[in-house]
Amino acid sequence: MKLPSLQQLYYGFRNVIKRFPLQFIFAVAATICWCYYIHISDYRYHSEPNEKLEGHLIKAIAILNLALTLLLALDLISERNQYLPIKKWMLRVGGILICAILYFSLDPANYSADLYRIFLFAFAFHLLVAFAPFIGHAKMNGFWQFNKALFLRFLTSALYSAVLYAGLAIALVAINGLFNADIRWQTYMTLFAIISAGFNTTFFLAGIPTDYKLLEEDQSYPRGLKIFTQFVLIPLVTIYLAILLIYELKIAVQWQLPKGLVSSLILGYSVFGILSLLLVYPVKETAGNNWIKLFSRFFYVMLIPLVVLLLLAVWKRVGHYGITESRYILTALALWLAGITIYFLFSKKQNIKVIPISLCITSLLATYGPQSAFSVSKFSQLSRLKRIMSSTKKEDIKERPAVIRYLVYTHGLKTLQSFTKKDLSKIEQKIDTSDTYRYSMKEKKVDTALAIFKVRDERKYDEGVNIKLQNDENQVLNVKGYDYLIPINQYPNENLIRLNGADLKIERSNLNVSLSINNQPSLHIDFKALFDQAVKAYQKGELKAIDKKQAYLYPAKLMTVSKNINGYQYTIVLTTLESTYYDDNRDDYFWNETTTYLLIKKL
């Protein structure tokens, strides 16, 4: 790979500004927004964070990315079809208007649905760039060569950007270490933003092909690409296939529904397989490459049972929990895979442009409209909520808060308007203007919905009741008559002590404290058992309160254990034991703080 000279970089930069002026402006604007976001984040712990401003900056970065890719696709269409400047600018203005509408209509900071929409639009617009110059042009070689050039340019841009960032970051580390410059993490993040959003984007744009006729005539094929496909991608596809076939056999034998993880494996198999076929597409007709045709047919034949398995995995989740955006997308991908499989198995044309075009259309259809992921998901979950709100089954009652939380987080509080006569739009607007923190705003909306529908959130964190037990005879430790006092650390540890010829080992854990003498277990106090016994007394109202801070006197005999061994009396005394009692009886975790001593006296 030949490194570009400074002159080449300069000409490339100048050509980008001339060829893609708006895209360059969007890249610079996104870089500025990102750097400013990093800057205001620096004061998060020094002043009240302005989350609304941060939300606008994040949204601006996302929309600028959409604008860059959409206008890049439109400019490529204009170039290929040699549109007049006025028509070219009309397309550009149309693209800018679309992105402006998206900016003012989307609110990803408050609604998860809009976050999904941004990802879907970004995916669709990136796919649009791949085939935009070849709309209405049937030749496949130019399409493949164009995307090969984009793919290699993307890898080159990523490599150059990574090396540049690493070099400059190491230089900053050196300056910081040698000159005590106090360079903070914000500087490194700003540098990363400038290189990844500014330099990387500009460098990539400079390498986009311009001569489409030359692409049609180009018959070159990188040998390394074939080696990479044949010895890396295809073996990976084979491994995925073997795992999936064995799992499918297991399902058939045990006659059980598939697990959710199988969806990821099938999609991984599909992605690697389709990518492998696309990378070797130009050489499939050349001599000695009959294995490509064989692999192509074998790949799509094996997709048939896997698509069925994928649909079963989705149906298992949808049948019980209804449709959500992620399950909708998974279902759409499964149906798309089924369509692609049928096309490449039975079509004689084998038009590879079908892959990005169909994926792009599928993504756009999922963004807005009655068929979109959000309309279908909202309808499904509202129907589910209506059913479980009228149900008296225990499992349905437990599911109510989760469905309400999903609808509020994803679609907003007003989505639940059909369930109440209260004006939820006004309530939501009031909450939005009363709090600057996004998380607390969302939680207030959820709490409001739960209160309106009189639904108890079983998943709500149980803060519990803090109880502090104090030894009723040793609130202040009485050491009269003892010869030695050894404090026992409240944190888990192990102490080895040699005293008067005896080896003492004190072991402290979260659950207990124990003493071994000459490797023989001698004394033991179980904190968990002691506290559980105290909780029962607390529930019955039998504990004597010391103050209003949940401190209680507890019998000394229950907080003390003593034993005479070889002419010595060993006593472990707890003066305090503090922990938290939970209504849901959590047995998997026991937190405590203790004040514990080992007392020793010679008999």
Side-chain angles (χ1 to χ4, degrees):
M1 182 176 65
K2 185 179 178 182
L3 293 175
S5 65
L6 290 175
Q7 187 178 22
Q8 287 176 313
L9 290 174
Y10 169 73
Y11 283 133
F13 174 74
R14 190 178 66 179
N15 289 335
V16 166
I17 296 177
K18 183 179 178 181
R19 186 183 178 194
F20 303 119
L22 293 179
Q23 289 84 344
F24 177 75
I25 292 171
F26 294 150
V28 172
T31 304
I32 293 171
C33 290
W34 194 351
C35 292
Y36 186 54
Y37 174 79
I38 295 168
H39 171 73
I40 63 172
S41 297
D42 189 18
Y43 300 97
R44 185 181 297 276
Y45 299 106
H46 304 288
S47 62
E48 183 178 314
N50 191 338
E51 287 203 345
K52 288 187 177 180
L53 176 58
E54 292 179 6
H56 282 297
L57 288 172
I58 294 172
K59 184 168 68 170
I61 294 169
I63 299 300
L64 286 167
N65 175 63
L66 296 182
L68 190 152
T69 50
L70 177 59
L71 265 70
L72 176 59
L74 296 176
D75 278 358
L76 292 174
I77 292 173
S78 300
E79 281 186 354
R80 181 64 192 272
N81 295 285
Q82 298 180 347
Y83 289 158
L84 294 174
I86 186 170
K87 190 173 182 179
K88 185 175 183 178
W89 275 100
M90 286 177 65
L91 281 177
R92 285 174 171 175
V93 171
I96 292 172
L97 286 175
I98 290 172
C99 293
I101 291 170
L102 289 177
Y103 180 85
F104 290 107
S105 61
L106 297 177
D107 188 7
N110 290 320
Y111 305 112
S112 302
D114 288 343
L115 191 61
Y116 275 100
R117 282 193 175 96
I118 287 175
F119 281 116
L120 286 169
F121 274 120
F123 185 60
F125 292 165
H126 279 80
L127 288 169
L128 182 60
V129 171
F131 65 84
F134 301 92
I135 297 174
H137 300 271
K139 293 183 179 180
M140 289 298 104
N141 186 60
F143 169 75
W144 190 90
Q145 293 291 346
F146 177 77
N147 281 278
K148 180 202 76 174
L150 292 186
F151 179 65
L152 294 178
R153 188 67 179 184
F154 170 77
L155 294 179
T156 306
S157 303
L159 177 62
Y160 285 3
S161 299
V163 172
L164 181 60
Y165 176 75
L168 293 176
I170 292 171
L172 289 175
V173 170
I175 293 172
N176 190 53
L178 294 174
F179 302 102
N180 297 321
D182 191 25
I183 299 175
R184 301 185 179 182
W185 68 269
Q186 286 82 5
T187 304
Y188 295 95
M189 287 302 300
T190 301
L191 177 64
F192 180 79
I194 293 171
I195 291 176
S196 59
F199 171 80
N200 182 69
T201 304
T202 306
F203 188 84
F204 174 80
L205 292 173
I208 294 178
T210 56
D211 193 336
Y212 297 101
K213 290 184 179 179
L214 184 63
L215 289 174
E216 294 288 358
E217 298 168 358
D218 187 5
Q219 299 297 325
S220 64
Y221 184 84
R223 181 172 175 80
L225 205 57
K226 182 181 176 183
I227 294 173
F228 173 73
T229 305
Q230 189 171 353
F231 296 104
V232 177
L233 283 183
I234 291 179
L236 280 174
V237 171
T238 306
I239 292 171
Y240 273 113
L241 179 61
I243 294 171
L244 290 168
L245 288 178
I246 294 171
Y247 180 68
E248 201 161 11
L249 182 63
K250 176 187 173 185
I251 289 174
V253 171
Q254 297 182 351
W255 199 246
Q256 62 179 12
L257 288 173
K259 295 182 179 179
L261 177 63
V262 74
S263 304
S264 302
L265 287 174
I266 294 172
L267 290 177
Y269 169 77
S270 306
V271 168
F272 282 123
I274 291 174
L275 181 60
S276 302
L277 292 172
L278 289 176
L279 290 178
V280 295
Y281 175 79
V283 294
K284 70 175 184 176
E285 301 295 339
T286 57
N289 289 322
N290 290 330
W291 65 270
I292 297 177
K293 290 184 177 180
L294 181 63
F295 172 73
S296 174
R297 188 156 190 85
F298 174 77
F299 170 76
Y300 286 112
V301 168
M302 294 311 302
L303 260 184
I304 296 173
L306 295 182
V307 169
V308 173
L309 186 61
L310 178 58
L311 287 170
L312 279 174
V314 175
W315 174 77
K316 177 184 176 182
R317 301 291 295 176
V318 170
H320 186 73
Y321 299 107
I323 299 175
T324 59
E325 283 74 15
S326 58
R327 292 172 200 144
Y328 178 99
I329 292 171
L330 198 59
T331 305
L333 285 174
L335 295 174
W336 175 80
L337 277 175
I340 287 295
T341 301
I342 294 170
Y343 174 79
F344 280 100
L345 280 176
F346 299 104
S347 175
K348 294 181 180 180
K349 292 183 178 180
Q350 301 286 298
N351 187 344
I352 58 174
K353 285 195 294 184
V354 168
I355 294 173
I357 290 173
S358 58
L359 259 182
C360 179
I361 294 172
T362 302
S363 300
L364 291 175
L365 287 174
T367 54
Y368 283 103
Q371 81 295 328
S372 70
F374 316 100
S375 298
V376 173
S377 300
K378 183 165 67 173
F379 176 79
S380 173
Q381 293 302 321
L382 285 172
S383 300
R384 181 182 169 209
L385 181 61
K386 185 177 180 180
R387 177 182 61 80
I388 63 179
M389 287 296 286
S390 59
S391 173
T392 56
K393 293 181 180 179
K394 190 174 182 180
E395 57 270 22
D396 287 339
I397 294 173
K398 284 185 177 180
E399 288 180 10
R400 290 174 185 173
V403 179
I404 291 173
R405 182 176 294 274
Y406 159 81
L407 287 167
V408 172
Y409 262 70
T410 309
H411 302 283
L413 182 61
K414 58 181 177 291
T415 307
L416 303 170
Q417 186 62 67
S418 60
F419 290 87
T420 180
K421 293 181 179 179
K422 295 184 179 181
D423 191 340
L424 296 183
S425 295
K426 287 185 178 180
I427 295 175
E428 186 168 31
Q429 187 178 10
K430 186 177 180 181
I431 293 173
D432 287 340
T433 56
S434 65
D435 207 319
T436 58
Y437 294 91
R438 278 195 301 272
Y439 177 77
S440 58
M441 277 195 299
K442 290 181 179 179
E443 285 302 307
K444 282 182 181 179
K445 292 176 185 178
V446 172
D447 291 341
T448 300
L450 293 173
I452 290 173
F453 302 130
K454 298 180 181 179
V455 173
R456 182 183 176 186
D457 191 355
E458 298 292 342
R459 296 173 60 187
K460 200 79 172 177
Y461 178 69
D462 180 9
E463 295 181 354
V465 178
N466 191 70
I467 298 176
K468 183 176 183 180
L469 305 175
Q470 292 194 3
N471 192 311
D472 62 1
E473 293 180 3
N474 279 289
Q475 294 183 57
V476 178
L477 184 64
N478 183 5
V479 297
K480 184 178 181 180
Y482 288 94
D483 300 303
Y484 304 99
L485 181 149
I486 303 173
I488 298 176
N489 198 314
Q490 72 170 351
Y491 302 107
N493 66 347
E494 181 180 297
N495 287 331
L496 298 175
I497 302 170
R498 185 164 181 82
L499 181 64
N500 296 329
D503 292 324
L504 310 182
K505 182 167 74 171
I506 304 170
E507 294 179 282
R508 166 72 160 88
S509 71
N510 283 328
L511 297 175
N512 55 62
V513 64
S514 61
L515 170 68
S516 297
I517 301 175
N518 296 326
N519 292 323
Q520 296 297 317
S522 303
L523 296 176
H524 176 83
I525 292 182
D526 189 326
F527 299 146
K528 182 74 167 61
L530 175 62
F531 188 76
D532 287 345
Q533 188 177 358
V535 167
K536 292 179 181 178
Y538 167 79
Q539 292 173 329
K540 295 177 182 178
E542 296 175 354
L543 295 183
K544 183 180 179 181
I546 300 175
D547 53 33
K548 296 181 180 179
K549 296 181 180 180
Q550 298 300 109
Y552 300 91
L553 290 177
Y554 203 62
K557 62 181 181 179
L558 298 177
M559 302 181 74
T560 307
V561 62
S562 184
K563 192 172 184 180
N564 297 336
I565 301 173
N566 297 330
Y568 287 89
Q569 180 182 348
Y570 297 91
T571 303
I572 295 179
V573 179
L574 272 73
T575 58
T576 63
L577 170 61
E578 184 176 1
S579 189
T580 303
Y581 154 65
Y582 298 98
D583 288 323
D584 57 3
N585 297 320
R586 295 182 204 180
D587 292 325
D588 58 337
Y589 176 73
F590 178 68
W591 163 89
N592 67 78
E593 285 187 1
T594 64
T595 307
T596 315
Y597 302 95
L598 172 63
L599 299 173
I600 306 173
K601 71 177 177 180
K602 190 173 183 180
L603 299 175

